[in-house]
Amino acid sequence: MEQETKTCPYCAETILKAAIKCKFCASDLTTPLIKEEKGALWLDHNVTLQKGLLGVQGKLDITSNEIIFTPQNLLGKLEEKILIPLKDIRSIKKEKMLFVVNNLLVFKMNSGIEYKFAVLQNRDEIILKIQKIKEMNTASNNM
């Protein structure tokens, strides 16, 4: 008996319809890919932007063109959103926070600026999603 299949919304590979995780790109298929109202591909991931020894908590949204960090308004201090164009990211790497906890996600920009986010869950999944989106953008620009 032939099993029903579907296309992975992240990597476009054919997978079983009942799959909850893609066997090709390891994406979690149980969370919605798109929330139309924000136009983002992956939303509301809790992170902390590292600023020296201090951190700013917020949400990380990934669109087809940029990463958006929206800080939470804590104690009346208003931080501005940070827009990180995907095309300007030179590298993405993992680091340890305070040389102990292996949970930092670091975006190094073409300009030399680094953005460091502490991520408690799904750091590898975030990296994979960003790399896939960058690859899709590069492929569509070369057409």
Side-chain angles (χ1 to χ4, degrees):
M1 184 170 144
E2 191 172 315
Q3 294 182 319
E4 291 184 52
T5 61
K6 64 181 177 183
T7 302
C8 173
Y10 300 101
C11 69
E13 294 287 346
T14 302
I15 56 176
L16 292 177
K17 188 172 185 175
I20 60 171
K21 188 171 187 174
C22 178
K23 69 179 183 180
F24 296 98
C25 69
S27 294
D28 178 5
L29 303 173
T30 61
T31 54
L33 174 65
I34 297 174
K35 290 186 181 177
E36 297 286 333
E37 70 273 9
K38 289 188 181 178
L41 297 173
W42 200 48
L43 297 174
D44 297 336
H45 197 78
N46 293 318
V47 298
T48 302
L49 174 65
Q50 296 304 127
K51 289 185 161 186
L53 294 177
L54 301 175
V56 178
Q57 292 181 340
K59 302 281 185 182
L60 201 64
D61 296 332
I62 303 169
T63 73
S64 58
N65 297 314
E66 62 193 2
I67 297 167
I68 305 165
F69 173 70
T70 306
Q72 293 176 342
N73 188 3
L74 302 174
L75 305 173
K77 185 177 180 184
L78 187 59
E79 295 274 347
E80 298 218 5
K81 282 186 179 181
I82 296 175
L83 306 177
I84 303 172
L86 293 178
K87 65 180 179 57
D88 294 341
I89 297 174
R90 181 185 324 151
S91 65
I92 304 171
K93 63 182 180 177
K94 300 182 260 187
E95 285 185 4
K96 291 182 178 180
M97 187 167 80
L98 302 174
F99 306 104
V100 178
V101 182
N102 196 18
N103 70 339
L104 281 183
L105 176 62
V106 181
F107 301 110
K108 181 140 186 157
M109 309 303 290
N110 291 330
S111 64
I113 294 172
E114 281 189 347
Y115 295 101
K116 295 184 178 189
F117 295 97
V119 181
L120 296 178
Q121 297 176 338
N122 304 324
R123 181 178 62 172
D124 291 336
E125 190 174 334
I126 294 171
I127 293 170
L128 276 174
K129 288 182 191 317
I130 293 169
Q131 289 171 337
K132 291 287 181 191
I133 294 168
K134 284 181 63 101
E135 287 170 12
M136 288 189 301
N137 288 347
T138 301
S140 66
N141 289 339
N142 291 334
M143 290 183 168

